[in-house]
Amino acid sequence: MDREASVVELMKAMGLSPEAVERVSRLWGKSAARNGGRTHLLLGHLLDTAAVAGVMWDWYVSAALRRRLDEISGGRGRLWFMWVCGIHDCGKACPAFQAMDAVEAAPVLAAGLTWGRLPADRRRRWRHDVAGAVLLKPRLVAEWGGEEAAGWVWPLVAGHHGTFPSAVALSPPRGAQGRGAAWEEAQRAVVDVFTRAVGFEDLADARPVGSLRKAEQLALSGLIVMADWIASDSSQFPGLAEAGLISFAQARRRAEAAWERLRLRGGWRDLALPENPLDPLARRLGVQPRASQRELVERAWSMPVPGLLVVEAPMGEGKTKAALAAAEVLAARFGLDGVFVAMPTQATSDPMYEQVLRWVRTFDPELESQVALLHGRRRFNTWWRAIWDGKPYPDGEGCGCGDEGHHGVAAMIDDDFGAIDEDAEYGMASAGPSADRDGGPGVDGPAYWFLGDKRGLLTAFAVGTVDHLLHAATRTRHVMLRFAGLAGKVVVVDEVHAADVYMRQFLVEALRWLGQAGVPVVLLSATLPPVQRQLFVDAYLSGVVGAADVHQGVPEPAGYPCVTVAYGVGGRVVAETSREAVGSWRESVPVRLEWLPDVDVAGARVAAAVREAVAGGGVALVVVNQVDRAQAIYRELRDGGFDGVLHLLHARLCAAHRADRTAQCLRLMGPQAGDDRPERMVVVATQLAEQSFDVDADVLFTDLAPTDLLLQRIGRLHRHGGVLRRVAHRVPRVVVTGVVPGRDGRPRFLRASELIYGEWSLLRAAALVTEAAGALTAVGAGGPAAPGWSIPADVPDLVARAYGDTGICPVGWNEAGAWEQWQAKERAREERAEEFLLCRRREWAFPTLEGLHYAGSRAASEEQLDAVVRDGDPSVEVVVVRRTSGGYRAVDGTWLGVHGEVDDDEVTDRLMGGTVRLPSRLTAAARAELGPLPGWAGRPWLRYRSALVLGEDGARLLGADRVSYQDVLGLVIERETR
């Protein structure tokens, strides 16, 4: 077949009648009105999409998926991939679509393809994606020899606009699909001519010899959407209204040129195996391998097939570096093309982005531009700006969220929902460079196409909040794009214990799909309850096997750290764990625990005890469970004349202040502090100090929290080697507060703690602390001989007991009642999550994607997705501005103009430094009362942002609350008395 032959020549060679040739040559695929002013014929768009798929195969699709497509197509994977991507829009050859534009319809009608009155109601309109399935399905059944081969292919066509319908939806309204010999002939010809132009003899020749598993179908569906979206860009694929100009060779040239202009590419492209098993650690990352790191990398080498690796090791053990090294091994062995690293919050994503950047550069400096940071405030990360906006590179190799100006504020914006905050939420056209990008386009520059809505995970290397992974397990529109982005990668999830019972439903669902797609997953945790380890293993293996209820008992680990692996071979599932104890890199140390009974939000007693603890010098970290309590304790220390360095850190600080303050804390008590470490210092913080806050405290004061989170906080205590400590602080000391003895000695908790964590987990934590600190009394600990804890040696046992089935609380604490209450709440949350899960439990074993969106795409918008996967009330992010005489000022005093006008990027950065997330109880009032300033209308980063406009006194009423912002205290909320 001559690839240069036009579709007109091809139709004539295939024996189509002149009338049929004329009719097919008039069918339009893109209207001039919506395609840059130029009509694009249907066959032209189908061939463009197939040609894009061919380029994707060569430069983007992972080796693992290429192998699978070769297997199911009898060795013709590239050709079959092009065909299935291109055939997606064949349903446009029907009256319902051809009638949508009167100008484009006229030549079609004139050629003899007519129709009667069609449904005008938008809800009853016959969609071309479903029409394609109706057109194609009977032909596939007839020419491929039965339902089985056709059954998994037609949903790929029916679902290419984001949702997969059920077979019962394949029932067109009268006349919408096309009736009569002329329509039937034209529809057959579209499929046959396209199939022949791509390279198959006929439709029967395109029959696959096997089928993909459902998760692989979902990934393939996402790649079909990707190819379609690229080929639908009229600036790259100008319309062709003459069929004589359309050929596959022409489409291929257009696709190759567009791919080059868009700078699209994949990741490693068939990564070579490391020469030495430990090179990924020692040479690539430059670390002297610790025993636990070596164990993980060796497990990555020894697994016979892709699988799940669960890494449990103490805080500061180097789990993340080991996970990156394991990812290199897994990618090289099994044909993966990149990595997604999922972090618990935005604040933890920024430093991880910079770590992954440095790692990726060691493979090829050009890959740097293929590393995406997936959250909405990435523009404030200096490394992101350097690479994607052509800004100057930050000095040194450090974190791009440092304290130079406010460019790094994204790292520290409030993480209540770990929000994705994709650009589309604000209606941005994000698939292009910044207007002020320095320099011209380079061949190795970043691919802005990946910055578009829902596309971030398609970038070869990505770092973002875990929400991106969870969203890939929701029954939402275009979920296939998200999943396709994961399916060609190794997936690493850090701090996996941070997912609560609601989020775990989505994590478990994601693990099922990833297991079935053969995606290696590495889960990291310092404090993972054994029941969760088992849950994750069973979920991944249920995907491997394709059954809903798989249980493969995980052996008890020989020690801590440990690595658990799970995979399936030949229909048999395997779950193994470290058979010999793996030594931790640092010795366990005794930690002394004691009680400080106090549930007063004002925290005066805590402040007094902190002042006393560092009276002779030392660094104290105070972690409380409530912003109001943190502010109150800080005030008590400040107003009482504390003689030393004093910092307050919480989620209601605006982004710039939080970034600067975090950077100061890291400088003064981080691993490189050295001589900068103050003689006397107190940091009062909320839960954000629990994770990825690499500071070293001499003494820790903490509100009681569930045991695993308490241990995370203790991980900030005596964290770094070589720190000179006063004699009083030689033994690590934890003072537990936020609790007082109640009736019959039963603990009574801070109200905020109970609302956040529930009574049962707090009672269990209190029981374990009692064993280490003595009985809780009105004055504190009950005796001098309390044994304390040995950290990290005791961590696994403490977590296992905290979340085990055996009662551990003293008689009279009514642990059973608290347990029943907790279980009822957990069950209710699980049921709420099930509404949004990608697949119903009973349908998990179904072999195709038919009906996946049986109840529609449940989340109404991208904006709601964050609340969907976090089970929280939606919260609102605002930008704090101050009204002054004659106009407005940013929170740092920068003048904005009479209507809040912003002239350039630097002013935008300063303004956005005032971003803060309001507590969810203010959401209704914020949505009713707040909006953008008039001067923000023309600024893409601002026009959808709400301004919290404060008066000259720094305050305002918001609903029933008086809200103010103070540079040191942050957002202060007081109920207005009326």
Side-chain angles (χ1 to χ4, degrees), residues 344-361:
T345 63
Q346 289 181 350
T348 54
S349 297
D350 277 80
M352 179 54 61
Y353 167 66
E354 285 130 27
Q355 186 172 334
V356 171
L357 264 182
R358 287 193 292 271
W359 176 63
V360 163
R361 278 190 213 122

Side-chain angles (χ1 to χ4, degrees), residues 562-647:
C562 66
V563 178
T564 300
V565 298
Y567 54 87
V569 179
R572 185 177 66 89
V573 294
V574 176
E576 302 170 341
T577 193
S578 301
R579 290 177 292 275
E580 297 177 4
V582 178
S584 175
W585 72 279
R586 61 179 175 184
E587 294 295 319
S588 287
V589 294
V591 174
R592 194 166 85 232
L593 282 82
E594 56 193 71
W595 292 111
L596 176 62
D598 179 68
V599 291
D600 184 359
V601 174
R605 189 173 181 190
V606 177
V610 171
R611 184 182 282 107
E612 182 184 341
V614 295
V619 175
L621 175 63
V622 184
V623 184
V624 294
N625 297 340
Q626 187 177 8
V627 174
D628 294 347
R629 183 162 154 91
Q631 290 172 327
I633 292 170
Y634 176 88
R635 273 200 208 98
E636 283 280 340
L637 287 165
R638 180 194 63 187
D639 298 347
F642 175 72
D643 179 21
V645 179
L646 182 60
H647 281 304

Side-chain angles (χ1 to χ4, degrees), residues 295-303 305-312 322-323 326-327 329-330 333-334 490-493 496 511 519-525 528 533 536-537 540 562-567 576:
E295 169 83 355
L296 175 57
V297 173
E298 287 173 353
R299 286 285 183 172
W301 277 108
S302 65
M303 290 171 70
V305 292
L308 174 72
L309 299 101
V310 184
V311 184
E312 296 166 70
V329 174
L330 294 165
R333 293 187 62 217
F334 301 122
V490 180
V491 175
V492 177
V493 187
V496 72
L511 289 172
V519 174
V521 179
V522 186
L523 305 180
L524 309 177
S525 177
L528 189 67
R533 181 201 306 137
F536 297 149
V537 165
Y540 191 89
C562 66
V563 178
T564 300
V565 298
Y567 54 87
E576 302 170 341

